[in-house]
Amino acid sequence: SHAKQGCKFKFCAVGSARELGRESLAQRAMATAQKQAITLKGSVAIVTEFFGYSVNSILYQRGIYPPETFKKVSKYGLTMLVTTDTGLSEYLEQVLGQLSMWLVNKSVQKLVVVVAGQESGKTLERWVFDVRADKQAEGQVVEARPEKELTSEIQAIIRQITASVTFLPLLDEACTFDLLVYTDTDVNVPAAWEESDPKYIAKSEEVKLRSFTTKIHKVDAAVSYLAEDD
């Protein structure tokens, strides 16, 4: 049976990734935004690119992958860390490629990064990015927000992810992660994806993070974590 908020899908295939050119698409969308207009596809490119950098930041900051497997790149006026691990890069490419298609169809409700203990299997953190799309924005050009404003909002979320080590409990066991995409129930699901349980945390605390909007998509971020016993 489907949960009220739709289906939760997890990518589970191993295979080579295709370069989908989202970087250049997002750059073009940002450039278009400077000209005071944005399309659905341009908005999707910006949101997908943001998710890519956010997931990389979470995996680095929470120590899910060794720090030496990340390289520094400049993005959003910040120094970002991006994985150099081939398997992880390919996995993220595949997930973000499908996510992008579902975003174009306005079928995505949220993206969740689940951090779980490798030995215990217990969910320790859930990084939730809620997505709301303007259902009217099909095929039309929407007046864009100034690039500086949009970049500033994205910067604020990335900075909070970077600062998360100061307010989240220490992860004292080796951890794994899953990416869950919550979709509407009527989406087309590729064979490489499987339906997943939501991997909730039994007793959790939540910290609300900032949000950003392209005017076509609004993304709200939050992180919940396993509450320590008193």
Side-chain angles (χ1 to χ4, degrees):
S1 65
H2 294 310
K4 260 189 196 165
Q5 60 259 79
C7 304
K8 296 156 286 293
F9 292 108
K10 182 169 81 171
F11 182 71
C12 56
V14 176
S16 62
R18 289 185 300 126
E19 179 50 61
L20 298 167
R22 281 187 304 280
E23 183 82 28
S24 56
L25 253 178
Q27 283 168 347
R28 283 205 298 274
M30 282 289 203
T32 307
Q34 285 182 298
K35 295 172 190 150
Q36 281 72 55
I38 191 165
T39 62
L40 172 61
K41 281 191 175 173
S43 178
V44 165
I46 289 168
V47 172
T48 305
E49 184 180 63
F50 162 78
F51 282 148
Y53 282 108
S54 295
V55 172
N56 270 283
S57 291
I58 291 165
L59 298 181
Y60 175 80
Q61 296 297 340
R62 304 310 287 143
I64 312 300
Y65 280 76
E68 63 271 18
T69 63
F70 290 81
K71 65 179 179 185
K72 289 181 179 178
V73 297
S74 185
K75 187 69 190 174
Y76 309 125
L78 301 170
T79 299
M80 307 289 294
L81 286 138
V82 176
T83 185
T84 57
D85 181 288
T86 308
L88 177 57
S89 295
E90 289 178 353
Y91 168 78
L92 292 176
E93 275 291 336
Q94 297 272 18
V95 172
L96 294 172
Q98 182 57 55
L99 180 73
S100 181
M101 292 180 213
W102 280 334
L103 281 167
V104 168
N105 295 329
K106 305 193 191 76
S107 303
V108 177
Q109 297 169 3
K110 63 181 80 181
L111 174 76
V112 182
V113 183
V114 176
V115 176
Q118 200 167 318
E119 290 293 319
S120 65
K122 193 183 287 183
T123 300
L124 302 174
E125 293 174 5
R126 290 177 94 252
W127 295 78
V128 180
F129 298 92
D130 282 303
V131 183
R132 275 175 289 171
D134 177 358
K135 301 288 187 184
Q136 311 304 314
E138 192 64 59
Q140 61 180 342
V141 175
V142 174
E143 184 187 350
R145 305 180 61 224
E147 184 189 1
K148 194 174 174 184
E149 275 182 22
L150 182 55
T151 301
S152 175
E153 288 180 353
I154 291 175
Q155 272 180 350
I157 301 175
I158 299 294
R159 284 194 171 114
Q160 286 179 311
I161 293 171
T162 304
S164 63
V165 290
T166 63
F167 61 81
L168 290 175
L170 186 69
L171 295 172
D172 53 8
E173 64 173 304
C175 291
T176 60
F177 82 104
D178 270 321
L179 286 181
L180 308 184
V181 181
Y182 282 59
T183 66
D184 296 340
T185 52
D186 57 352
V187 296
N188 225 338
V189 183
W193 290 68
E194 63 182 25
E195 194 155 358
S196 170
D197 73 83
K199 301 183 186 290
Y200 288 131
I201 301 171
K203 184 184 169 194
S204 67
E205 307 264 354
E206 186 184 58
V207 177
K208 291 273 187 203
L209 305 178
R210 302 291 285 274
S211 62
F212 80 90
T213 177
T214 64
K215 277 202 172 174
I216 294 176
H217 291 96
K218 183 169 194 277
V219 177
D220 291 296
V223 56
S224 54
Y225 57 92
L226 184 66
E228 293 174 336
D229 293 322
D230 297 328

